[in-house]
Amino acid sequence: MLERLKTGLKTFREVTYKRYEHIYRDLEATQDPHTLFIGCSDSRVSPDILLDSDPGEVFTVRNIANTVPAYENSQNDLPTVSSIEYAIEVLGVEEVVICGHSNCGGCAAAMGQSSKLDKLPFTQQYLKPLACVKEKIEAEPEITDAKAKARLMEKMNVIEQVKHLKSYPIVQEKLKKGELEIEGWYFDIKSGSVSVYDEKADRFCRSEDYQAVRV
Ligand SMILES: [Zn+2]
């Protein structure tokens, strides 16, 4: 085992576990998370660090480019769909966050900005549904810069995945009853800021401003 991992486990056992021991004991037999976080598998997007959350608070699904298949394509990604189903139907989460991020390799690959994809047949197949987002960006004639296109892809991908999530009957039912909230987030790795998609304004706002608007 890598030395770094061994050291981490030792620190967890001797320091971190002790800090959270009361929570682990309370939650030994069950969990009651309030939020489902759907994020990218990217090693820089760590939900517990991002949210400063305690054990038991956040149920997590992570995959390349934080995707959710549309309801009609749900069979294409059962790990993601079953996690969503479980979080909503069994755990009764009150909030779902779909969080994209800057410099997302999955989004870059879907934009055709990565040569690595040629060697990755499974990833190619997996990223196919993102082609519709790419097409929307390519249709914007004023955006020609590759970096600008990449940032837009990452943000529009979040909006698309929120739309997909809302296509599920169980989600629609919970939204209708006011038992669920869905938010699209964008994490900028360089600045550490998170912006939230405001559907009415059709733009991402800084999370601080978004809270102010909602209050
Ligand atoms: Zn990513």
Side-chain angles (χ1 to χ4, degrees), residues 40-42 45 64-66 101 103-107:
C40 185
S41 300
D42 190 296
V45 185
I64 292 177
N66 40 269
H101 68 99
N103 293 302
C104 178
C107 285

Side-chain angles (χ1 to χ4, degrees), residues 13 33 40 44 47-48 50 66 68-69 75 88 91-92 103 107 112 119 162 164 182 188 202 207 212-213:
R13 209 171 49 244
C40 185
R44 300 163 293 181
D48 288 334
L50 200 59
N66 40 269
V68 175
Q75 294 294 318
I88 291 175
L91 299 174
N103 293 302
C107 285
K119 296 176 193 158
V162 168
H164 288 178
I182 298 172
D188 182 73
D202 191 24
S207 51
V213 169

Side-chain angles (χ1 to χ4, degrees), residues 177-193:
K177 287 183 190 165
E179 294 173 358
L180 189 69
E181 278 190 68
I182 298 172
E183 289 190 350
W185 290 8
Y186 182 76
F187 172 41
D188 182 73
I189 290 173
K190 192 178 176 187
S191 68
S193 66

Side-chain angles (χ1 to χ4, degrees), residues 70-116:
Y71 179 60
E72 64 267 26
N73 300 322
S74 54
Q75 294 294 318
N76 294 349
D77 186 359
L78 290 176
T80 296
V81 174
S82 58
S83 300
I84 292 169
E85 184 178 59
Y86 185 74
I88 291 175
E89 292 282 48
V90 178
L91 299 174
V93 294
E94 296 147 32
E95 182 131 40
V96 184
V97 168
I98 298 182
C99 183
H101 68 99
S102 59
N103 293 302
C104 178
C107 285
M111 275 300 283
Q113 294 174 335
S114 170
S115 56
K116 293 172 195 154

Side-chain angles (χ1 to χ4, degrees), residues 165-180:
L165 182 61
K166 287 182 177 174
S167 66
Y168 286 77
I170 52 164
V171 173
Q172 288 166 3
E173 199 186 309
K174 292 277 179 183
L175 287 172
K176 208 171 164 184
K177 287 183 190 165
E179 294 173 358
L180 189 69

